[in-house]
Structure formats: C-alpha cells, structure tokens
Amino acid sequence: MEMVYVDHAATSPLHPEVLDAMLPYLQSNYGNPSSIHQRGRQARQGLDQARAQIAAALAVKEQTLVFTSGGTEADNMAILGYALEHADKGKHIITSQIEHHAVLHACKELEERGYDVTYVKVDEYGQVNPKDIEAALRDDTILVTIMYGNNEVGTVQPIVEIGELLKDHQAVFHTDAVQACGALEVKIAELPVDMLSISAHKLNGPKGIGLLYIKNGLTLRPLLYGGEQERKRRAGTENVASIVGFAKALQISNATIKERHDKYQRFTHTLLDTWTEKQVDFYVNGHQTERLPHIVNISFPGVNLESLLMNLDMAGISASSGSACTAGSVEASHVLVAMFGENSERSQAAVRFSFGFDNTEEQIKYVAEETAKIVNRLKQQQEFIS
C-alpha cells in the first residue's frame, strides 16, 4: 500500500537541497557564531550569508529580521513584545476569530494581564472585512494582528487594505504569514505591515526555525534574556544550520512558485472532479479565488470525522482535520465554527488536504478515489444505523 502525504500545511518534508546546504554546519562548521576563533568565524559567515539571502528574498534590510524557534515564537514575540513595551499608548488589540492558536493564545494571555482584545468576525468564506477592523479601532488601539493566509481553509486576507486603513492610526500591523510564505511570493517591502512572521518547516525547510520581520524603528520587549544575539532582541545561540537551511528553502520556494501553483490547481480539480463523478456529497470551504493554492478544505456532511480520518489513515492517506496544533482532537475547528456556526454540519466533518512539491498526479488520483469509497461507505453505514 502506497503512503500518500497530503498534510503539507501541518509540516512539509525537508527538500534534499536544503539538507545538503545544512550538512556542513552540522558536521564541520559547527562553531558558535559568537566565538572569535576560526570555527566561530566559519559559522558566523554562514549565518550572515543566510540572513542576507533571506532579506533579499523578502525584499527587506537584514537588520529587520530576528530569527526565532518558529512561527509560534515569532507570533508571541510580535504580540506580547509590542503590547508589553507600549502599554503606555493603550491596551487595546484587534485580531480575528480564525487566527492560529499562537496568536489567539497570546491575545488571551494579554487579556489576563488587563488588555482588551477585539476578535472580529469573518464571512462564510473565512475572510475579514476591512470595514470591521476600521469599526473596531479605538484611540487606545496599539496593535492589529491578522493572518495573511489561513492555515485551515486557505483563505487569503485583505492585508493591503487593512494596512492602508491603519496608515494614520497609532496601531501597528502584524501579520502571521507562516502558511502564506512559500505558497505565495512574500515581498515585505510591498506590504503595508510593521511585523511579519514566517516558519521554515512550512516551505520544505527544517523544523525549529522561523523569523519575525520588525520594521526599522519599532521596539519590542524581549521575551528571552541572556546574550546579545539578534541585536539584543532574542537571546540564545543562533541555530546556524537551520538558518542556512531556511535560506535555501526560501530560495527554492520562490523559484518554483508558479510551477507549484499550476500543479496544485490540477490536483484540486482532480479531487473535486473525481468526487463529483463518484456522487460524493461534499462542500468546499474557504474562498474560491482569494486562497492559498495548496490547501483544499472539504466538508463531508453526514460522515463521522473521527471514522473518516481513521479510514483515510488505514488507506495510507495522511490528511488532517485542521491545525496540527490541535491534533488528536476531533472537536470542530474554531475556523469553521467562525465561518458557519458551531452546529453547522460543515463544521463537524471537514478534512484538510494540503499538497507539496513531492506529490504526483497519480497520488492525488488515489487520494480522490479512496476518499470517495470511504465517504460513501461511511455514509451508507450511518444511514443504515439511523
């Protein structure tokens, strides 16, 4: 039985060229980049070169990038770091109901500390209306944090419009681009954002490395204390091998975006056309045009989600019910609840299929046909029981 991985939105496999780029910094150039001896200088050279490559790929200056342990730390650094440092300007934060838990839980922590957070709604396509952001703004609003592309349904948010309406307000704008970067070419210089989070393992880089872009002149309170790494903004010895891998992964990702976009569109059509042909009852969740190309979120009404995921796994298909950070839970996705309501059938039995560079047309055809068999069988069983 072939194993088919269609959960790349949770994490993606390390690209072979990324591993090759990392190996020298795991085997020979292993020095501490803060050391002044030869080994240290070799590591520092690799670190500086990787930082320059990433900055060029994102169209920003090198000093605006802070390397973190991943997207979660980057989000926390942006939200907690800015809010705690600028509490004298106000204690009101605006976010959306469908953010990643790294954002939502950071905002909950701020509420515990006396801050006021507004969670704006989304429409049935999972998209924020910029007018709702504008209506929520107050004189004491200091931060707006809205994700670039949703990790569960793939909907892309109107980041440019939101950023534009904040131009004359004191509030700074942070966007979680963890799922978007790699699926879309992210050029930060072209975006009206003050902070932006990225994680390498979503774009075929290593786990445990991410970054936060911080606009020049913006100050944040550090979350970690120790050495003076990352311009005193994030203490701790830099993860040089992973940063080098991050740079290579971003380079490959940007060079192959068009090719992968076209391939993922074909994959999506294969899934939907097969299910239509096999008379599967399904709904496509998320925006149909403003979307990340690698994510397809599908509701199968009348089917038990736990049984569906278990049967897919038995068929060798790795898919998920949503965010990997809630893996093991079969509760309705908070994203789908925000879109359709808690009791909606579309919120109860939704599966996310997400594609990667190593998937083939044959694999996706297998996924489509096996899913159709499983869904129709489970639905017949459920109808028989009822």
Side-chain angles (χ1 to χ4, degrees):
M1 178 180 65
E2 182 182 14
M3 302 292 288
V4 182
Y5 186 77
V6 281
D7 198 18
H8 291 82
T11 194
S12 59
L14 197 67
H15 195 286
E17 292 182 34
V18 172
L19 178 59
D20 289 343
M22 293 174 65
L23 281 176
Y25 296 91
L26 294 169
Q27 295 174 325
S28 55
N29 301 345
Y30 50 76
N32 187 319
S34 295
S35 299
I36 62 173
H37 50 61
Q38 186 174 342
R39 292 285 190 196
R41 294 198 304 274
Q42 289 172 338
R44 172 58 60 181
Q45 183 179 14
L47 174 60
D48 290 345
Q49 184 177 12
R51 191 190 303 274
Q53 290 170 343
I54 293 173
L58 298 175
V60 295
K61 295 186 181 299
E62 297 168 33
Q63 64 266 28
T64 62
L65 303 179
V66 177
F67 290 114
T68 67
S69 62
T72 293
E73 186 190 342
D75 285 343
N76 274 256
M77 184 178 185
I79 295 165
L80 296 173
Y82 189 82
L84 296 176
E85 183 69 9
H86 298 279
D88 59 318
K89 297 179 181 177
K91 288 191 170 184
H92 181 233
I93 316 293
I94 299 174
T95 189
S96 82
Q97 295 179 346
I98 63 163
E99 299 298 309
H100 189 276
H101 284 111
V103 169
L104 293 177
H105 291 169
C107 287
K108 290 295 184 186
E109 174 62 23
L110 285 175
E111 287 184 291
E112 292 290 325
R113 301 190 190 197
Y115 288 74
D116 187 14
V117 181
T118 298
Y119 300 88
V120 297
K121 296 180 180 180
V122 295
D123 62 20
E124 62 181 354
Y125 303 107
Q127 198 166 60
V128 170
N129 188 332
K131 291 182 179 178
D132 291 339
I133 301 289
E134 189 172 25
L137 282 172
R138 306 184 332 205
D139 290 342
D140 63 338
T141 305
I142 57 171
L143 173 67
V144 175
T145 175
I146 302 292
M147 67 189 347
Y148 199 141
N150 186 263
N151 53 299
E152 294 196 29
V153 297
T155 297
V156 173
Q157 300 300 337
I159 296 301
V160 173
E161 292 87 337
I162 294 170
E164 290 295 328
L165 67 84
L166 295 175
K167 269 187 172 181
D168 298 321
H169 196 282
Q170 72 162 354
V172 300
F173 186 25
H174 165 253
T175 187
D176 176 342
V178 167
Q179 200 61 243
C181 188
L184 306 175
E185 189 172 14
V186 174
K187 296 291 188 184
I188 299 176
E190 300 172 4
L191 299 173
V193 300
D194 301 293
M195 295 182 286
L196 182 145
S197 305
I198 301 176
S199 182
H201 80 104
K202 303 294 188 178
L203 44 94
N204 305 111
K207 296 177 181 66
I209 188 69
L211 66 80
L212 177 65
Y213 159 78
I214 306 171
K215 187 176 180 179
N216 270 331
L218 216 60
T219 57
L220 276 66
R221 182 172 300 180
L223 302 186
L224 300 175
Y225 295 90
E228 297 187 354
Q229 294 88 352
E230 297 302 295
R231 296 174 182 266
K232 301 182 181 181
R233 295 172 296 188
R234 200 271 187 182
T237 302
E238 296 92 346
N239 185 350
V240 179
S242 291
I243 292 169
V244 169
F246 193 171
K248 187 64 176 179
L250 188 56
Q251 179 188 49
I252 295 170
S253 174
N254 281 350
T256 59
I257 277 183
K258 177 64 167 64
E259 171 192 334
R260 288 183 291 109
H261 185 279
D262 293 344
K263 184 167 85 165
Y264 299 159
Q265 279 193 318
R266 294 195 302 272
F267 288 173
T268 300
H269 289 310
T270 295
L271 291 180
L272 304 186
D273 291 348
T274 301
W275 293 334
T276 300
E277 178 188 333
K278 302 290 185 182
Q279 298 183 319
V280 176
D281 190 11
F282 69 93
Y283 298 101
V284 181
N285 301 319
H287 205 287
Q288 297 310 294
T289 55
E290 299 297 318
R291 57 182 291 270
L292 302 177
H294 66 302
I295 294 177
V296 183
N297 190 292
I298 306 292
S299 290
F300 298 101
V303 175
N304 179 272
L305 177 58
E306 190 173 11
S307 297
L308 175 54
L309 290 173
M310 183 174 64
N311 277 270
L312 286 171
D313 188 43
M314 290 171 64
I317 298 169
S318 301
S320 74
S321 59
S323 171
C325 298
T326 56
S329 168
V330 292
E331 295 178 1
S333 154
H334 73 284
V335 174
L336 295 177
V337 168
M339 292 165 60
F340 305 118
E342 194 163 1
N343 297 319
S344 170
E345 213 170 20
R346 291 178 72 164
S347 304
Q348 301 300 320
V351 177
R352 181 186 67 186
F353 301 89
S354 50
F355 314 125
F357 81 96
D358 56 343
N359 285 137
T360 65
E361 185 69 48
E362 291 73 23
Q363 287 180 335
I364 303 307
K365 187 67 176 175
Y366 173 78
V367 169
E369 292 177 348
E370 286 299 308
T371 302
K373 291 177 189 176
I374 292 167
V375 168
N376 286 338
R377 183 177 72 246
L378 290 176
K379 195 157 188 180
Q380 287 175 354
Q381 291 173 354
Q382 185 62 39
E383 289 172 354
F384 178 78
I385 294 171
S386 301

